[in-house]
Amino acid sequence: LTVLTGLSLCVMAKPLLPALQASCAMVAEGNNAENPGATPRGPQVCGIATDEPALVEAQAEPPPKPSIAAAPPLRKLLPRQVAQTLGPSPKPVAVVVSQAESPEASAPAGNDLAGRGEKLRRQMLAQYGGSDHSEAAVMAALKWLAEHQLSDGSWSLQHQTHPHCHGQCGNPGTMLHARVAATSLALLPFLGAGNTHQEGHYKQTVRGGVYYLLKHMRLTPAGAALNEPSGAMYSHGLASIALCEAYAMSHDKALANGAQLAVKFICYAQDPVGGGWRYQPQTPGDTSVTGWQLMALKSARMADLLVPQPVFAGASRFLDSMQTEEGARYGYTSAGSQPTMTAIGLLCRMYLGWQKENPALRQGIEDLAARGPSTNDLYYAYYATQVMRQWGGPAWQKWNDGMRDPLIALQSAQGHETGSWFIDKGEVGSRVGGRLYCTCLAAMILEVYYRHMPLYSRRSTNEAF
Ligand SMILES: [Zn+2]
């Protein structure tokens, strides 16, 4: 997805897509025992071979609908060896480095998702610049997403294959095999608005998606992998965020081990030299893939899952290697100054502990504010809007004025497309990810008022963290 954007960046830099596909094919043929991060040759469900393919193409004629409601309890999905790997449930781990020792290496903690509860959500919506219209747009997006969920609980970037859609909605994406990525991406706006597999209007929808992710985990010695040929570590990072958030919000122990093992795989996949992440595990990182993994690790810490402190220190080291202007700007695979990578880099820095007094952060904010919001590039908008919202104050108000209503105005309001977005203004991710990708990012941009608690307010410092 942003796989997509990541891919697009690769394509811009050099024609990397064929190389990626080739490398994926090589990995798919590799020996999993020697390469625990490799995409599996044979289908497995949580490490157990099954008769059905791990990656199922969206089908024009889906099989008879196995009711999601009739799915076995989530806790039964994880095999015994998973539980034995880490024990019955994760123990809260206090891996805290004092700010004095290493302010940047300290990881976020506390309930960053508290604003998603119904009461606080309404308060934060009003307090941070949301509106009835923005919330209605989010609800319409969730309705569209729910109507395009496939019968096995997943989503596809080729949303038209849903029998009820049957091609009525235009602009499908092209990465048809990235089902884990599409499913994870679709789950995030539901979770962002307070839905879990146990609570909320869309609990059955969330349940189906979470079930799909658990079912498609591959147990490896390095953790549970959800990378797939099309989306690689993008898929894994997105899936990890979804699982960690679902666990953090529900406290359902049935998700604990799956979430922990997914996080363990992220830690394994970190480039041991540079500290970043890329498409394949343990290769030199890029800022785009790294951003999703760090957001997953942030969610993991918030859920009291184990993330060894050196992983965060390595991520900071990677960001150091991508930065220019002393950390105000960031590049993609080398030190540079690219707007979207800068937005990702700054958000990562915020969650890794940079304070508002940091001159580089202040400079980065001024640069982003001068560039302004964009409805043409939703990947940029997704990260930059979070950065500006965390920064707050007049700069955020001005940003929100330029982002919120123009984005709402672009939401489709006709026919089956009602509630979705498709914006094709040259951002390659939109074309690769299609309407589903655009809808998920736009919905999460409009959830920005409550999706994450503020990092810098006294209230959140004292109560949430
Ligand atoms: Zn449709």
Side-chain angles (χ1 to χ4, degrees):
L1 311 197
T2 319
V3 172
L4 321 174
T5 309
L7 278 176
S8 71
L9 288 164
C10 288
V11 172
M12 285 192 297
K14 51 186 174 180
L16 222 163
L17 187 54
L20 173 65
Q21 290 168 334
S23 71
C24 288
M26 283 167 52
V27 167
E29 308 234 329
N31 183 332
N32 285 357
E34 292 175 3
N35 184 359
T39 310
R41 291 193 65 180
Q44 291 189 323
V45 172
C46 294
I48 300 171
T50 69
D51 291 328
E52 54 179 281
L55 291 172
V56 184
E57 265 299 284
Q59 298 170 3
E61 295 290 335
K65 186 167 185 171
S67 167
I68 290 167
L74 290 173
R75 65 181 70 251
K76 290 187 179 175
L77 290 170
L78 293 174
R80 185 172 296 168
Q81 67 261 40
V82 179
Q84 288 174 342
T85 304
L86 290 171
S89 64
K91 297 168 186 163
V93 179
V95 188
V96 176
V97 177
S98 77
Q99 292 277 329
E101 284 176 350
S102 176
E104 197 168 312
S106 66
N111 193 357
D112 172 59
L113 309 184
R116 302 178 182 194
E118 187 162 355
K119 188 177 174 190
L120 195 50
R121 187 167 80 242
R122 292 183 188 285
Q123 287 179 15
M124 293 179 72
L125 185 74
Q127 184 175 351
Y128 293 106
S131 67
D132 289 345
H133 284 127
S134 71
E135 195 60 0
V138 169
M139 293 305 127
L142 297 186
K143 185 169 183 288
W144 184 86
L145 286 169
E147 287 173 351
H148 291 79
Q149 184 179 29
L150 297 168
S151 58
D152 61 358
S154 74
W155 280 264
S156 169
L157 297 174
Q158 172 41 293
H159 60 265
Q160 295 177 322
T161 53
H162 193 284
H164 293 162
C165 182
H166 206 61
Q168 293 178 74
C169 301
N171 315 106
T174 56
M175 289 184 69
L176 309 185
H177 297 275
R179 294 284 291 282
V180 167
T183 301
S184 306
L185 194 60
L187 281 172
L188 295 182
F190 288 104
L191 293 161
N195 297 277
T196 72
H197 60 294
Q198 294 178 332
E199 285 189 26
H201 180 71
Y202 288 107
K203 64 183 176 187
Q204 290 295 347
T205 305
V206 175
R207 180 184 180 83
V210 169
Y211 174 85
Y212 182 89
L213 294 184
L214 291 176
K215 193 177 173 189
H216 286 77
M217 280 185 155
R218 306 186 318 276
L219 274 187
T220 81
L226 280 151
N227 53 347
E228 55 191 347
S230 301
M233 282 303 290
Y234 275 107
S235 303
H236 185 84
L238 287 163
S240 301
I241 297 172
L243 290 173
C244 287
E245 289 192 357
Y247 172 55
M249 292 168 68
S250 67
H251 307 293
D252 180 2
K253 289 182 179 174
L255 298 183
N257 288 325
Q260 179 66 79
L261 285 170
V263 167
K264 183 181 177 187
F265 189 78
I266 293 179
C267 299
Y268 152 78
Q270 185 175 32
D271 170 24
V273 179
W277 286 265
R278 203 146 198 243
Y279 301 105
Q280 301 303 333
Q282 301 195 347
T283 54
D286 72 57
T287 303
S288 180
V289 175
T290 297
W292 289 116
Q293 314 308 318
L294 259 184
M295 293 304 127
L297 297 179
K298 170 186 74 69
S299 301
R301 289 298 300 273
M302 173 192 66
D304 285 331
L305 298 171
L306 171 63
V307 184
Q309 187 277 332
V311 176
F312 290 103
S316 292
R317 198 170 69 246
F318 170 76
L319 291 171
D320 290 344
S321 70
M322 295 294 113
Q323 74 178 33
T324 53
E325 304 284 323
E326 299 181 338
R329 299 181 181 192
Y330 294 83
Y332 177 48
T333 54
S334 60
S337 172
Q338 201 274 347
T340 302
M341 298 305 116
T342 294
I344 296 170
L346 291 175
L347 190 66
C348 290
R349 293 293 202 186
M350 285 174 153
Y351 279 114
L352 285 165
W354 274 19
Q355 299 300 303
K356 282 188 107 172
E357 296 73 24
N358 187 309
L361 181 56
R362 183 172 295 274
Q363 183 62 51
I365 295 290
E366 288 179 9
D367 292 349
L368 274 187
R371 173 172 288 274
S374 168
T375 54
N376 292 342
D377 183 343
L378 291 176
Y379 189 36
Y380 164 75
Y382 173 71
Y383 275 102
T385 301
Q386 290 184 75
V387 170
M388 297 305 293
R389 148 83 166 81
Q390 290 293 0
W391 186 260
W396 161 242
Q397 289 175 21
K398 185 179 178 190
W399 183 281
N400 191 42
D401 287 345
M403 186 77 229
R404 187 191 69 190
D405 291 347
L407 184 59
I408 295 171
L410 293 171
Q411 189 175 33
S412 299
Q414 289 193 328
H416 212 246
E417 292 181 351
T418 298
S420 66
W421 279 265
F422 180 71
I423 297 170
D424 183 9
K425 294 289 177 74
E427 194 246 327
V428 181
S430 295
R431 258 170 279 157
V432 177
R435 187 170 293 275
L436 186 88
Y437 163 86
C438 292
T439 301
C440 294
L441 288 185
M444 286 191 282
I445 291 169
L446 293 174
E447 291 175 351
V448 74
Y449 314 104
Y450 50 76
R451 187 164 169 251
H452 297 287
M453 293 298 285
L455 278 168
Y456 297 119
S457 79
R458 184 178 300 275
R459 185 172 183 281
S460 71
T461 302
N462 291 342
E463 295 178 10
F465 294 92

